[in-house]
Amino acid sequence: MHRKNYKGRCIKKKVTKCEMAARTYSDIALAYLDVLERNGEVKSFECNVPVSDEYVSDFVITKTDGELAVRECVERDKISKPMNVKLLEMSRNYWIGCGVKDWGLVVNEK
């Protein structure tokens, strides 16, 4: 999860399961893009979907059974920072309120 108008490094990549060129803002999100592309249970996905006027979720995934899943990418060493905890909780509450049952985090190994 990050700001809507984030000004950091953006990597665009064209993948078949994302209608537009996928834009990622972290190495974790870029790596997860490839995981989603190879996953047979994933029909399609969107990147950077708004959850408020200021923030976006990293991935909203449509599974082959029609269910939605949401994934937020966060670095392991920043996961417990108060602002990140607040933003992740906001995202989780938003998507649960929209009926999404499969909400989760993508975290780097180190």
Side-chain angles (χ1 to χ4, degrees), residues 60-96:
V60 176
I61 304 156
T62 303
K63 297 180 180 179
T64 53
D65 63 4
E67 290 289 318
L68 290 180
V70 174
R71 294 294 179 265
E72 301 290 1
C73 299
V74 62
E75 293 181 28
R76 183 172 301 280
D77 62 339
K78 296 180 180 167
I79 199 166
S80 62
K81 295 199 177 235
M83 186 61 174
N84 285 339
V85 171
K86 179 182 172 183
L87 291 175
L88 293 170
E89 188 65 20
M90 178 182 71
S91 170
R92 190 175 77 74
N93 289 334
Y94 174 83
W95 290 110
I96 287 173

Side-chain angles (χ1 to χ4, degrees), residues 16-18 39-45 61-66:
T16 60
K17 293 183 181 180
C18 188
N39 189 329
E41 294 179 11
V42 174
K43 179 181 177 183
S44 64
F45 62 89
I61 304 156
T62 303
K63 297 180 180 179
T64 53
D65 63 4

Side-chain angles (χ1 to χ4, degrees), residues 14-27:
K14 184 67 179 153
V15 290
T16 60
K17 293 183 181 180
C18 188
E19 190 173 307
M20 304 175 89
R23 295 172 186 250
T24 61
Y25 296 92
S26 70
D27 292 335

